[in-house]
Amino acid sequence: MPVLDPHPPNGRKKLLYVLGAMLSITVIIAVVAMILSP
């Protein structure tokens, strides 16, 4: 069993969490910008 598995069993879920976090941060920034805009 190699140390660096090219296809870990939970790699896709971790990638999904990272993409979800980036998307939620983008949405939060957009909402704050809309609130602060006159």
Side-chain angles (χ1 to χ4, degrees):
M1 188 173 178
V3 178
L4 292 175
D5 193 0
H7 298 289
N10 60 348
R12 186 167 294 167
K13 187 176 294 183
K14 190 177 295 183
L15 182 65
L16 199 66
Y17 284 151
V18 172
L19 289 176
M22 287 166 53
L23 189 65
S24 61
I25 290 172
T26 304
V27 169
I28 290 172
I29 291 175
V31 170
V32 171
M34 282 193 296
I35 292 173
L36 292 180
S37 64

